[in-house]
Amino acid sequence: MTSMHAHSPSPSDNNDPSTHTPPDRHDHTVQNDDLSRVGFHARAIDPDLDQRPLPNSHTPLHLREAQRDIEAVAAHYGLNFPSVHYEMVTSDVMNIVAARDGFPIRYPYWGFGMNHYELSTGYEYGQQKIYELVVNTDPVYAYLMVNNTDLDQKIVMAHVCGHADFFSNNVHFAHTDRNAMNTMANHGARIQEYMDRYGVTEVELFIDKCRAIHNLIDPFSVPSPYGTEEKAPQTDELTVPRFPVSSDYLDPYVNPPEVLKQQEERALREREKEMSRFPATPERDVMKFLMENGPLTPWQRDVMSIIRDEAYYFLPQMQTKIMNEGWASYWHSKLMTEDVAHDCDIIDYAAMNAGVLHQQPGQLNPYKLGVELFRHIEERWDKGRFGKEYDECTDAEERANWDKKLGLGRDKIFEVRKLHNDYSFLANFMDMDFCEKQKLFVFAENQRTGDIVIKSREFEKVKNMLLDQLLNSGNPIIRIKDANYQNRGELLLEHEHVGKDLDPEYAKRTLEVLHKLWKRPVAVETTVKGDAKVLTYDGQRHLSKYV
């Protein structure tokens, strides 16, 4: 699920990187039938467009005509996506659906109610407004607010075309469930049945535990339904590598029997050691390991499998937030300014678009960063500002005026849209020119005055700061190392330290949740301020010891 919304700032509003301030706008609805259409651009592409069937969306006739025309223009530019089904909803229904991550039917859970209260309160007090929601399914489902102006609806439809194309073509979404609407409803029915049988409180408490570790999955694996994984066949054969020889006469000299025997004994000891270790290799998918090996009841395993499946469904959206919003913003801007908006719409369109792309001080707006980087890539490849010759050019004036007129920008951004996630997007294409143009910098708190000040404008520091936040979607990399730690059935995890220590409170809460699931002491190997440590929770107290 992804959304486009406006959000008014407050002194404490510093957590949501995608918020933006809604500008003052003329609240008018275009009534003229001619103005509610894309216009002659779509008909120039397809003269028979008016004869084609209208989309099967639950929207008024003039909006279905606008949807047909906008999607025709989008397809002409090369966007490729399945059919889009729009639903018109009230603000309250929009907040309910948004609280459930874009799905009208989810499993019963108090957290969704909390999300709805936050969204509806923000809307009631004018702090935020959700213009649309779009869901990664086939057909793509999207929601429109009934009280949006016709111009708003056209902007949303152009924006949704970008999202739908991204969902359908980015490699990180290739294995997501396109029937997620039905899947989520089925999950809700199964969990409701467990609540009826075992009680709401007990099931919700277990859901709390599962959601607390929903990020402890393997982002590089292709998930398969629980219980369907095929295990590699075991073999007793032990192969010792030998050097090739041209004749049997040379073999005893090139591959001495005593050396081969030593190697075989060493390999046997290593294999016995591996077989005694459980798991044989560190396991990144902690939820899967607990499902298969934890002391859980059948209904608990099923509930955990539901939370895990949904975590894998939403994972690509976490990995591509900047790209996804940037791609959708790029296309809604292009479609609106070049093909969709009429002259009388431009002022109101510009006002709304400025609100979407507005970047508040000290915050990162993924819409703004994503769309500007796509435009930067397009300009670079149009002008040939890449490759060895350009990289080795040291003349500032020559670099500023560099233009080989290659015209490769559009093809390049389509390639980038297909192959990258946020981390590789910034790592490969964010350069010094982009950083300076966007006026990016690192800020920190002044220890003496307590003021927030600019810490550095150096390109490498700015880029590394962003990449650190995006690595593993901002989550620590945790693996299960030993499920029989100290030969007492305790669970040992390892933290892959990549420059940042674990948050102490996060580590404690996670160990407590894992202890409740594993029923025995849980420990994690990590690095704290440069020192190797093992943090342990035994069910009563937290312990820490140096290694």
Side-chain angles (χ1 to χ4, degrees):
M1 180 274 292
T2 185
S3 65
M4 180 168 65
H5 63 281
H7 190 120
S8 296
S10 65
S12 61
D13 182 20
N14 58 4
N15 294 320
D16 186 356
S18 64
T19 59
H20 47 268
T21 308
D24 294 331
R25 329 175 24 243
H26 301 295
D27 189 16
H28 70 85
T29 300
V30 179
Q31 299 295 337
N32 187 288
D33 182 68
D34 180 63
L35 295 183
S36 67
R37 297 179 173 221
V38 175
F40 67 89
H41 294 278
R43 278 142 197 84
I45 295 169
D46 186 354
D48 298 326
L49 193 61
D50 287 321
Q51 308 303 318
R52 299 189 183 280
L54 294 174
N56 188 29
S57 293
H58 293 163
T59 56
L61 175 62
H62 70 283
L63 288 182
R64 281 186 286 149
E65 291 175 343
Q67 178 189 350
R68 176 195 60 195
D69 296 351
I70 291 170
E71 290 178 358
V73 176
H76 176 69
Y77 280 113
L79 299 186
N80 177 30
F81 49 88
S83 60
V84 180
H85 182 88
Y86 287 97
E87 293 283 347
M88 299 283 289
V89 297
T90 63
S91 59
D92 189 55
V93 173
M94 180 72 87
N95 290 331
I96 290 173
V97 174
R100 298 172 180 172
D101 301 315
F103 295 91
I105 303 178
R106 294 288 300 277
Y107 54 83
Y109 182 59
W110 66 268
F112 298 143
M114 182 183 68
N115 293 343
H116 174 249
Y117 175 78
E118 181 180 356
L119 291 171
S120 58
T121 302
Y123 179 80
E124 181 180 353
Y125 285 94
Q127 294 297 300
Q128 63 182 8
K129 175 183 177 181
I130 301 174
Y131 284 97
E132 55 84 25
L133 291 173
V134 56
V135 185
N136 172 32
T137 52
D138 186 0
V140 174
Y141 281 87
Y143 303 89
L144 302 173
M145 287 267 279
V146 294
N147 56 342
N148 283 351
T149 68
D150 279 1
L151 176 62
D152 291 338
Q153 310 295 33
K154 289 192 286 185
I155 297 172
V156 165
M157 289 176 179
H159 193 82
V160 167
C161 286
H163 280 310
D165 175 81
F166 195 91
F167 289 147
S168 299
N169 296 284
N170 183 270
V171 294
H172 296 84
F173 287 87
H175 300 285
T176 53
D177 182 6
R178 305 295 181 178
N179 191 35
M181 278 289 179
N182 291 332
T183 300
M184 297 292 182
N186 176 267
H187 289 171
R190 283 155 60 187
I191 289 182
Q192 182 63 65
E193 181 180 350
Y194 294 136
M195 287 182 169
D196 294 340
R197 186 180 305 176
Y198 302 106
V200 173
T201 301
E202 183 172 356
V203 175
E204 279 202 333
L205 288 174
F206 186 74
I207 292 175
D208 284 340
K209 299 183 184 73
C210 295
R211 288 176 65 94
I213 61 169
H214 78 283
N215 58 338
L216 299 183
I217 55 178
D218 187 353
F220 300 106
S221 71
V222 178
S224 54
Y226 169 62
T228 64
E229 297 88 346
E230 294 185 4
K231 297 183 179 180
Q234 299 292 326
T235 177
D236 294 330
E237 295 183 7
L238 198 63
T239 303
V240 176
R242 304 169 65 97
F243 290 103
V245 293
S246 57
S247 67
D248 294 340
Y249 169 76
L250 295 174
D251 187 64
Y253 300 97
V254 178
N255 299 295
E258 60 275 11
V259 174
L260 293 178
K261 185 176 181 180
Q262 292 175 0
Q263 291 178 344
E264 184 177 352
E265 292 174 352
R266 187 183 306 113
L268 184 60
R269 289 195 299 268
E270 290 294 327
R271 191 169 78 169
E272 289 175 351
K273 185 178 180 180
E274 289 181 0
M275 293 178 65
S276 65
R277 188 185 301 127
F278 178 59
T281 58
E283 175 60 60
R284 181 82 178 266
D285 193 338
V286 175
M287 293 193 77
K288 174 186 172 184
F289 184 87
L290 291 174
M291 281 193 309
E292 294 178 344
N293 304 288
L296 304 177
T297 62
W299 74 264
Q300 289 175 331
R301 295 184 197 279
D302 190 36
V303 170
M304 185 174 285
S305 73
I306 288 173
I307 306 301
R308 174 177 174 264
D309 288 346
E310 294 189 3
Y312 273 109
Y313 171 82
F314 289 112
L315 177 63
Q317 299 183 38
M318 296 172 58
Q319 296 173 320
T320 60
K321 176 69 173 178
I322 294 172
M323 287 188 67
N324 201 342
E325 296 297 356
W327 186 251
S329 299
Y330 174 94
W331 285 107
H332 90 234
S333 297
K334 187 167 190 64
L335 292 172
M336 291 301 297
T337 56
E338 297 185 12
D339 301 282
V340 177
H342 293 270
D343 294 347
C344 61
D345 296 328
I346 289 298
I347 299 299
D348 285 336
Y349 160 73
M352 179 184 175
N353 190 59
V356 172
L357 301 183
H358 172 67
Q359 187 144 297
Q360 299 181 35
Q363 295 191 20
L364 178 66
N365 184 343
Y367 298 80
K368 174 68 172 177
L369 182 60
V371 70
E372 294 297 349
L373 190 48
F374 270 118
R375 289 169 178 165
H376 180 67
I377 295 168
E378 184 176 32
E379 181 184 20
R380 284 181 59 194
W381 263 258
D382 276 342
K383 296 182 177 181
R385 295 180 177 179
F386 61 91
K388 184 181 180 192
E389 183 182 359
Y390 180 75
D391 292 339
E392 293 179 351
C393 178
T394 57
D395 187 289
E397 183 177 357
E398 184 179 356
R399 287 174 66 92
N401 298 317
W402 192 287
D403 189 357
K404 298 294 186 181
K405 302 186 184 304
L406 299 182
L408 300 175
R410 184 66 55 79
D411 291 339
K412 185 61 181 180
I413 62 173
F414 270 92
E415 175 190 304
V416 171
R417 170 268 270 151
K418 179 179 180 180
L419 300 176
H420 290 271
N421 59 26
D422 285 347
Y423 187 90
S424 60
F425 184 51
L426 268 64
N428 287 285
F429 302 106
M430 181 178 172
D431 56 16
M432 187 180 299
D433 293 338
F434 177 81
C435 188
E436 291 177 352
K437 185 177 180 180
Q438 298 302 316
K439 300 179 181 179
L440 300 176
F441 55 84
V442 177
F443 65 89
E445 181 180 350
N446 186 305
Q447 298 297 322
R448 184 175 60 85
T449 65
D451 295 333
I452 301 298
V453 297
I454 295 177
K455 182 179 179 182
S456 176
R457 294 184 185 273
E458 294 180 32
F459 165 65
E460 290 297 334
K461 290 184 179 180
V462 172
K463 184 173 182 177
N464 289 337
M465 175 68 74
L466 285 172
L467 293 177
D468 285 344
Q469 296 174 6
L470 296 173
L471 182 63
N472 196 39
S473 303
N475 297 312
I477 301 174
I478 304 293
R479 298 181 180 86
I480 292 181
K481 184 177 181 179
D482 191 353
N484 190 27
Y485 181 48
Q486 297 180 340
N487 203 31
R488 295 188 297 199
E490 299 177 4
L491 191 65
L492 176 66
L493 302 98
E494 62 178 10
H495 167 225
E496 183 178 329
H497 198 277
V498 287
K500 291 193 295 186
D501 291 356
L502 288 177
D503 179 273
E505 291 303 316
Y506 168 91
K508 288 180 180 179
R509 292 195 299 269
T510 303
L511 290 175
E512 290 168 4
V513 169
L514 290 171
H515 177 271
K516 292 176 182 178
L517 294 170
W518 189 249
K519 310 295 186 187
R520 298 192 65 79
V522 181
V524 58
E525 294 178 344
T526 185
T527 301
V528 180
K529 296 181 179 179
D531 297 320
K533 280 190 172 184
V534 175
L535 310 179
T536 306
Y537 180 68
D538 61 7
Q540 296 182 339
R541 56 180 180 163
H542 289 276
L543 304 173
S544 175
K545 68 176 183 178
Y546 291 96
V547 179

